[in-house]
Amino acid sequence: MSRLNAKSRAPILTILLTSLLLAAPATRAQEEAKTLPFSDNAGNTASVQRGARDFMAYCSGCHSLKYLRYNRIGQDLGISDDQLKQNLIFSGVKVGEPIVTALPAKPAEDWFGRVPPDLSLETKARSPEWVYSYLMGFYLDSTRPFGVNNLFLPNVAMPAVLGELQGWQVKEDEGKGEHEGLPLKLVQPGSLSPEQYQAFVSDLTNFMVYAAEPTAKERTSTGWNVLFYLIFLLLPLTYFLKKEFWRDVH
Ligand code: HEC
């Protein structure tokens, strides 16, 4: 039996790595569509709660949110530990654990060709509009391994996991699309109406915006407290000080 020694392996690795590096950008070179308008609202607790439930049901099988713990969601969204265990935690882990997918990286890479990325900071890395548009942008494409492609991530490696809900779309000529300007046409309706699906995807995106910065609410309320303090405490003080200084002059 001949085993490759470290020396003879090195060139093979180099070639592999180089071809990976060269191949990756090439497959993404196609032009991406213009994103849909979307104004995120992570302050809408009901929407973020629904988004959390749907994320756990439809996305956490492949994607982690490793910077977010289940009980942090509980605290922020008013969900008790028992409710968390019953409705959001499918992997049986404790409520204090971060949200880590049960899908191991190796088989994921074999199945999809790419490890599903952690989505903790996705709405910051891309944008809420991009994420919303991406979830609206799957269309049938028989040349792709899962039979679908995406307007916003050409040659996408993710299956259209929401296809049953959204229905199936085909790509149309530019400008003819139904969905607020996306060049896509629904050819087979899903279990949700287009409006219901838009609401569903808005909830998911709002949840992901929340997940990217769970402290946003505290941060803004601290900001308001500071402003309040400055205006209502310091302003009168400054006024009286000024009066005091100028008293002798007048
Ligand atoms: C069956 C596994 C699987 C499921 C379930 C899944 N995804 Fe993905 N997802 C992937 C893979 C694989 C990629 C990498 C796609 C690529 O780079 O081509 C991906 C990519 C993404 C991206 C783009 C990441 C980036 O910036 O490149 C977003 C956003 C995303 N998924 C959101 C979701 C959401 C939201 C759900 C739930 C509705 C979900 N995914 C469910 C496998 C999955």
Side-chain angles (χ1 to χ4, degrees):
M1 280 242 296
S2 78
R3 283 185 60 203
L4 290 174
N5 60 28
K7 226 177 161 186
S8 61
R9 262 203 312 257
I12 306 180
L13 265 178
T14 317
I15 294 170
L16 261 175
L17 281 176
T18 326
S19 52
L20 269 179
L21 283 175
L22 288 176
T27 52
R28 286 286 156 81
Q30 292 160 31
E31 208 184 316
E32 290 170 17
K34 200 167 162 280
T35 52
L36 293 168
F38 173 72
S39 47
D40 58 284
N41 184 0
N44 181 342
T45 305
S47 166
V48 176
Q49 280 175 342
R50 289 191 298 269
R53 177 198 62 197
D54 298 335
F55 187 94
M56 296 310 153
Y58 290 95
C59 320
S60 68
C62 290
H63 292 285
S64 301
L65 295 171
K66 64 181 175 193
Y67 298 122
L68 190 62
R69 293 171 193 281
Y70 289 101
N71 56 1
R72 170 85 218 209
I73 301 186
Q75 275 169 27
D76 291 339
L77 304 182
I79 305 171
S80 73
D81 284 2
D82 281 339
Q83 284 173 319
L84 281 177
K85 282 184 204 145
Q86 277 169 22
N87 301 315
L88 294 189
I89 305 180
F90 301 118
S91 46
V93 299
K94 299 214 172 70
V95 292
E97 297 283 319
I99 302 168
V100 174
T101 176
L103 180 71
K106 181 71 182 84
E109 191 159 14
D110 293 345
W111 288 330
F112 307 117
R114 255 184 223 118
V115 182
D118 185 278
L119 295 180
S120 306
L121 299 173
E122 180 68 10
T123 55
K124 297 232 182 236
R126 302 278 193 177
S127 71
E129 297 80 35
W130 188 90
V131 170
Y132 175 81
S133 306
Y134 170 76
L135 295 172
M136 300 289 287
F138 281 89
Y139 62 90
L140 294 170
D141 180 352
S142 57
T143 66
R144 300 296 306 154
F146 293 108
V148 287
N149 211 329
N150 191 289
L151 282 181
F152 300 92
L153 206 54
N155 296 336
V156 71
M158 174 171 142
V161 294
L162 302 176
E164 297 299 325
L165 304 181
Q166 182 182 22
W168 302 98
Q169 313 185 100
V170 291
K171 202 171 173 181
E172 271 203 331
D173 294 339
E174 216 50 59
K176 276 194 187 167
E178 281 180 355
H179 298 280
E180 298 167 26
L182 283 191
L184 296 176
K185 190 179 151 203
L186 199 62
V187 286
Q188 192 191 322
S191 59
L192 299 182
S193 72
E195 293 73 30
Q196 286 171 326
Y197 183 74
Q198 279 166 23
F200 184 93
V201 172
S202 303
D203 290 342
L204 265 178
T205 312
N206 281 340
F207 168 68
M208 287 167 68
V209 170
Y210 152 76
E213 197 183 355
T215 55
K217 243 184 182 169
E218 288 159 29
R219 184 167 54 77
T220 42
S221 72
T222 312
W224 282 116
N225 289 344
V226 171
L227 281 180
F228 185 82
Y229 170 79
L230 284 176
I231 292 168
F232 289 96
L233 287 165
L234 293 186
L235 210 64
L237 209 72
T238 325
Y239 173 70
F240 289 121
L241 257 177
K242 184 215 162 230
K243 260 187 117 175
E244 181 65 25
F245 284 151
W246 285 85
R247 207 172 44 182
D248 298 338
V249 182
H250 290 305

